[in-house]
């Protein structure tokens, strides 16, 4: 196990120009208008949501990008515990590869009737700030 040295608060160079957008905010909330992220932490959160909601093969020139929640959600012939274990492994593998700026602290996948709730607690490695996202499908 690697020992991480606590360096203190660091600022990403992209965050220094507060008037320049870094990326598009997800989820889309306004009709016909994109909202933008101006900090790297907000963009990392949007990237993580995008990774979870994208199916493999859906992204152009990146056939392995995406977790594929829709396929797992509607898979009917697999036992629930096995399905949850496969989904957790898929989420962990994809976040390590496509979003190396974060470290996943806690990953919970809980079925609730016909719905599936996913909660991810993660740490942004740039400044050791913790954040979480929760998605219900």
């Amino acid at each position: 196990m690697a020992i991480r040295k606590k360096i203190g608060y660091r600022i990403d160079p992209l965050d220094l120009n507060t008037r320049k957008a870094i990326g598009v905010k997800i989820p889309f909330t306004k009709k016909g208008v994109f909202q933008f992220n101006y900090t790297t932490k907000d963009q990392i959160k949007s990237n993580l949501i995008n990774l979870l909601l994208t199916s493999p093969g859906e992204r152009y020139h990146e056939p392995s990008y995406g977790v594929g929640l829709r396929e797992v959600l509607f898979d009917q012939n697999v036992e629930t515990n096995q399905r949850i274990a496969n989904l957790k492994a898929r989420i962990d593998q994809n976040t390590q590869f496509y979003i190396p700026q974060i470290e996943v602290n806690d990953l919970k996948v809980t079925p609730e009737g016909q719905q599936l709730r996913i909660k991810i607690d993660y740490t942004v490695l740039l400044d050791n700030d913790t954040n979480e996202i929760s998605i219900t499908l």
Side-chain angles (χ1 to χ4, degrees):
M1 173 181 244
I3 298 174
R4 194 175 337 160
K5 189 175 168 184
K6 190 164 185 163
I7 298 173
Y9 188 77
R10 295 186 296 174
I11 298 175
D12 192 290
L14 296 173
D15 291 337
L16 295 176
N17 188 353
T18 57
R19 296 181 62 198
K20 191 169 189 177
I22 296 174
V24 178
K25 187 178 278 192
I26 294 176
F28 302 130
T29 55
K30 292 186 178 179
K31 215 174 197 180
V33 178
F34 290 113
Q35 292 181 319
F36 298 103
N37 289 322
Y38 292 94
T39 63
T40 53
K41 284 188 233 179
D42 292 338
Q43 186 57 40
I44 287 172
K45 188 173 188 174
S46 291
N47 289 345
L48 184 57
I49 293 170
N50 188 28
L51 180 70
L52 292 173
L53 297 178
T54 303
S55 296
E58 186 176 344
R59 189 166 180 176
Y60 190 62
H61 285 297
E62 284 284 345
S64 62
Y65 182 86
V67 174
L69 292 178
R70 288 181 209 105
E71 291 88 13
V72 175
L73 183 64
F74 296 111
D75 190 13
Q76 303 209 358
N77 295 329
V78 179
E79 185 181 322
T80 304
N81 293 334
Q82 183 65 34
R83 182 173 67 171
I84 289 173
N86 290 342
L87 182 60
K88 282 183 174 183
R90 197 182 297 180
I91 290 171
D92 191 42
Q93 179 184 13
N94 280 303
T95 53
Q96 285 180 9
F97 186 77
Y98 289 108
I99 310 176
Q101 303 91 348
I102 67 169
E103 180 179 296
V104 176
N105 300 327
D106 189 30
L107 172 60
K108 293 181 182 174
V109 179
T110 54
E112 296 176 354
Q114 297 295 325
Q115 296 181 334
L116 191 65
R117 180 175 299 234
I118 299 166
K119 183 178 177 189
I120 301 175
D121 294 323
Y122 63 93
T123 302
V124 178
L125 296 178
L126 180 68
D127 59 358
N128 293 330
D129 187 27
T130 58
N131 203 344
E132 72 176 36
I133 63 166
S134 180
I135 297 176
T136 303
L137 299 170

